[in-house]
Amino acid sequence: MTDRWALAPAGDGGAELALLGPDGLPAGPVLREPDLVAAVRARPEVGRWVWRSTAEVYPRLLAAGVRAERCYDVEDAETLLLGHEGRSGEPRSAAAALARLRGGPVPPDPPQRSAERGAQSPLFEPEGSSLPLADLLTVYAEQQRRHDRAEHPDRMRLLTAAESAGMLVAAEMNRSGLPWSAEVHRAVLHDLLGERYAGGGEPRRLAELADEVSAAFGRRVRPDLPADVVKAFAGAGIRVTSTRRWEIESIDHPAVKPLIEYKKLYRIWVAHGWSWLHDWVRDGRFRPEFLAGGTVTGRWVTNGGGALQIPKVIRRAVVADPGWRLVVADADQMEPRVLAAISRDPGLMEVAGRESDLYQSVSDRAFSGDRAQAKLAVLGAVYGQTSGDGLKNLAALRRRFPRAVAYVDDAARAGEEGRLVRTWLGRTCPPAAGAGDDASEEAGIPVGGEDESDGRQRTPGHTSGARARGRFARNFVVQGSAADWALLLLAALRRACADMAAELVFFQHDEVIVHCPEEEAEAVVAAIREAADLAGRLTFGETPVRFPFTTAVVECYADAK
C-alpha cells in the first residue's frame, strides 16, 4: 500500500481525486466521482490520502465503515509549519495558506465552535472551507518545500505524519466511544450524593453538608459561593484568601471538614452528575470529541465532556462490554525518560534504559537513596522549581546529569529571551506562550519566587513575564517531545490493532485504553509494549532509553489504579 492519492470533497457529496507522483503533483488525470465514500472504498490500495482536513472527511468515511490507512492533513501541517517558522497565530486554513502563497488577502479562520453535547462534528465548521483539488495541491506542494527548509527536515516530516495519524486516531475514538454503564453511574451518584430533589436543586447529601457548614458558622452560608465562605471565616476571626483545599484544610474550625467534603461532592455533581450523564452518554458509550494537538505542547484536549478529568470514583462506570476487557496502560515516568532521550545525557540515558523505577535509580546515584527527593529534583528541573530546596536538589542533579540539566536550562534561557523553542521533532513554542504555571502546579512543583538559582545573569528589566516564559519553555521541550512520542505510539498501536476487533477508546498524555475481546487482551498488551519501543526509536533514534508501561487488563477502569 504505497500509492498516494489526493482528495477534495465536492459540495454535492462527490469528490475530486488524483494519484500523486513522487513530486506531489498529479501523476494522472483528475477524476471526478459522484460519491466520496464510494470513491475511497473502491481504492483500498491507497497508502496515504492527502486531504484538507481529517475532521471534514474521515467521520463520513467511518460512518460508512471505511477506514483510511494513513493521511496527510494539510491544515494540520499548516499549523505545524507556521509555528516552526515563528508565525504562530496566523490563519491556518488551507484557504489562508493559498492566499499567502498568491499574495492575496488572507481570510481569517472560521470561528471555533463550542461543544455540542453528545454530538460529533469537526472543530471548525467545513462549510465554505473546501478548496478545489488543484488549489489544495498547490498548497500541498509548497508545504513540501517548507518541510525541506525546516531546521531538521526529516524530523519535521515525521512530526507532520505523526500528527496526521493522531487525527485519524482521534476520529476513530470519537466514533467508537468509551464503554460506559449508565446504570453503574447512577448507582455511584446515589451512593455519593443521595436522592435528587424535584426542581433540580442540590441532592440530599450536599444539602446536609451545607447545613453542617452553616451550623458550624452559626449563620446561613452558601458553601458553593467562595466569597460567602471567605466572609464567614472572617466573621470567625480567621483570614483566608480562597476556599482552596490546601489553604483551609489546616484551619482548626468545625466548618472545615464538611466544607471540604461538600466541595469534593459538588464538583462531581456539577461535572459528572445526572445532567452530564444525560447529555454525554448514549447507547452505552461516552463520546467526547478528542482533539489531537489541542494545546501548544501537542497534548490532546476534548471539546466538552471533561473526558480527561474523570474522577476515580466515576471511573467505576467505565465498564467493558460482556466478554470484553479494558487494557489500561500507563507510561512509567515518561517525561524524565524523554529528557534523557533529548538531552543525550549518558548517565540519565543509562538510568532510563532500565525498566525499573527511574526515580529510585536516580536517588541511588545522587540522593543517597532518597526517592522522594530525587523525584522532586527531576520534576523541578523540568518544571522550573529552581529556588528554595529546589536549588539544592538541582545542584545535586546537575553534578550527576549535567547534560540533562543544561538542556532544560538552555530552553529556559531561549524562552526568556523570546527565541523559538522546539521539541525534538520540531513542534515549536511561540515566544509569547503562556506562563505554564498550571502545568507546574499539576506536577506538584511550586513556581513562585525569584528564579535566580541557575547561575544565569539577569539583565535590567528582566520581567516576571520573561521568567514565566522561561519556565514554560523549560517544560515545553520535555512535555512537547513526550507528546510527539505519544503520537507515534498511537500510530503504531493503531496499526497493530488493525487486524483485531480491539479498538482504541481513550488517550490522555501518558495513558491509553484499548477495548478488546478477552481473548485478544494479551496480544494487545504485547502490542502496546512493542509500539512504545518502536515509537522511541522513531522519535529519538537509537538510544538506550526505554519507555515501559504499567498495564492492567480489567473489566472496570477504576480497577486499573
Side-chain angles (χ1 to χ4, degrees):
M1 298 179 67
T2 58
D3 286 352
R4 181 176 43 158
W5 281 69
L7 180 149
D12 58 0
E16 293 182 297
L17 304 93
L19 174 66
L20 301 182
D23 56 1
L25 298 175
V30 174
L31 307 177
R32 288 168 177 80
E33 300 279 0
D35 186 296
L36 181 151
V37 172
V40 175
R41 194 195 302 274
R43 293 170 175 82
E45 76 286 354
V46 174
R48 175 175 279 120
W49 288 98
V50 176
W51 52 46
R52 180 187 72 84
S53 166
T54 303
E56 177 188 30
V57 176
Y58 203 37
R60 293 168 60 182
L61 297 178
L62 290 174
V66 178
R67 182 180 184 275
E69 179 72 14
R70 291 185 294 175
C71 78
Y72 178 100
D73 188 309
V74 168
E75 292 194 338
D76 184 59
E78 188 67 16
T79 302
L80 294 172
L81 288 166
L82 286 172
H84 194 276
E85 295 158 355
R87 299 159 63 191
S88 294
E90 292 188 24
R92 40 86 70 183
S93 70
L98 183 68
R100 277 189 293 266
L101 185 57
R102 291 177 172 172
V106 177
D109 286 331
Q112 182 173 333
R113 60 161 182 78
S114 59
E116 297 178 20
R117 296 187 171 191
Q120 298 181 63
S121 53
L123 178 61
F124 293 101
E125 297 298 344
E127 288 82 358
S129 301
S130 294
L131 291 181
L133 187 65
D135 289 344
L136 184 70
L137 289 178
T138 297
V139 173
Y140 174 66
E142 177 60 17
Q143 287 184 345
Q144 303 315 297
R145 290 187 283 271
R146 290 161 69 191
H147 277 88
D148 291 338
R149 297 193 293 267
E151 185 175 0
H152 297 285
D154 289 343
R155 293 187 197 174
M156 193 66 192
R157 291 190 190 94
L158 180 60
L159 175 62
T160 301
E163 190 94 331
S164 290
M167 297 288 175
L168 295 177
V169 173
E172 290 166 1
M173 291 200 307
N174 293 340
R175 177 74 184 174
S176 61
L178 183 64
W180 200 280
S181 171
E183 181 180 0
V184 171
H185 192 146
R186 292 188 189 98
V188 169
L189 294 177
H190 186 273
D191 290 345
L192 292 174
L193 302 172
E195 297 79 16
R196 302 170 69 186
Y197 293 143
E202 291 184 342
R204 175 179 55 78
R205 183 57 184 149
L206 285 180
E208 291 172 350
L209 289 167
D211 288 342
E212 290 182 39
V213 171
S214 296
F217 282 119
R219 71 175 184 83
R220 188 63 187 168
V221 175
R222 289 276 304 275
D224 58 323
L225 299 179
D228 204 16
V229 176
V230 170
K231 183 178 179 181
F233 273 119
I238 301 171
R239 184 180 180 276
V240 296
T241 59
S242 74
T243 60
R244 294 187 179 95
R245 178 169 182 165
W246 63 264
E247 184 170 358
I248 66 173
E249 64 183 349
S250 61
I251 296 173
D252 184 15
H253 190 278
V256 171
K257 183 177 179 181
L259 178 61
I260 289 175
E261 181 69 8
Y262 178 95
K263 286 168 60 66
K264 180 181 74 173
L265 295 180
Y266 184 84
R267 281 194 294 269
I268 290 173
W269 177 52
V270 171
H272 291 94
W274 291 278
S275 294
W276 180 95
L277 180 61
H278 176 270
D279 290 336
W280 289 99
V281 177
R282 292 283 187 279
D283 302 322
R285 291 293 186 273
F286 167 38
R287 290 187 175 89
E289 186 180 3
F290 285 95
L291 305 175
T295 68
V296 68
T297 60
R299 280 189 174 185
W300 288 26
V301 298
T302 58
N303 192 29
L308 305 186
Q309 297 175 332
I310 304 173
K312 182 172 182 179
V313 66
I314 299 298
R315 292 177 187 178
R316 287 160 55 187
V318 183
V319 180
D321 292 344
W324 288 52
R325 295 292 182 269
L326 300 172
V327 180
V328 183
D330 272 316
D332 296 334
Q333 301 148 343
M334 178 175 68
E335 288 183 344
R337 293 176 186 275
V338 167
L339 176 57
I342 61 179
S343 68
R344 297 306 207 250
D345 185 290
L348 193 56
M349 283 198 297
E350 192 276 327
V351 168
R354 309 171 189 172
E355 296 202 3
S356 56
D357 186 339
L358 181 145
Y359 296 125
Q360 187 61 56
S361 298
V362 170
S363 72
D364 293 341
R365 285 179 170 237
F367 296 95
S368 304
D370 188 334
R371 183 186 184 280
Q373 193 176 23
K375 182 175 181 179
L376 282 174
V378 173
L379 293 180
V382 172
Y383 285 95
Q385 193 226 354
T386 53
S387 60
D389 290 340
L391 175 59
K392 177 182 175 182
N393 291 337
L394 188 64
L397 198 69
R398 183 179 281 112
R399 285 193 297 271
R400 287 291 187 178
F401 310 109
R403 289 180 65 175
V405 177
Y407 194 94
V408 288
D409 281 350
D410 290 346
R413 184 182 302 110
E416 290 182 8
E417 294 172 357
R419 292 184 278 129
L420 297 176
V421 178
R422 308 192 199 283
T423 66
W424 184 258
L425 292 186
R427 189 187 306 274
T428 304
C429 174
D437 287 1
D438 289 345
S440 302
E441 290 173 0
E442 287 173 5
I445 303 298
V447 297
E450 294 296 311
D451 183 14
E452 301 287 348
S453 58
D454 57 4
R456 287 178 276 154
Q457 296 296 314
R458 300 300 199 267
T459 57
H462 188 86
T463 66
S464 60
R467 286 194 296 272
R469 287 195 297 276
R471 282 196 300 269
F472 186 84
R474 173 187 293 273
N475 173 241
F476 175 85
V477 293
V478 179
Q479 189 182 99
S481 295
D484 297 346
W485 167 83
L487 284 170
L488 287 164
L489 163 77
L490 291 173
L493 182 57
R494 175 180 182 262
R495 176 171 291 187
C497 293
D499 295 327
M500 304 188 212
E503 53 189 11
L504 277 158
V505 294
F506 185 79
F507 168 68
Q508 64 167 353
H509 182 44
D510 58 359
E511 181 180 52
V512 64
I513 300 179
V514 178
H515 186 226
C516 65
E518 183 177 6
E519 60 271 18
E520 289 183 357
E522 291 308 312
V524 170
V525 171
I528 291 171
R529 182 174 61 250
E530 293 165 6
D533 290 342
L534 177 59
R537 293 193 301 273
L538 289 175
T539 307
F540 307 115
E542 293 295 336
T543 74
V545 179
R546 293 293 172 263
F547 296 92
F549 273 83
T550 296
T551 307
V553 179
V554 296
E555 293 183 60
C556 173
Y557 184 19
D559 294 338
K561 301 292 184 180

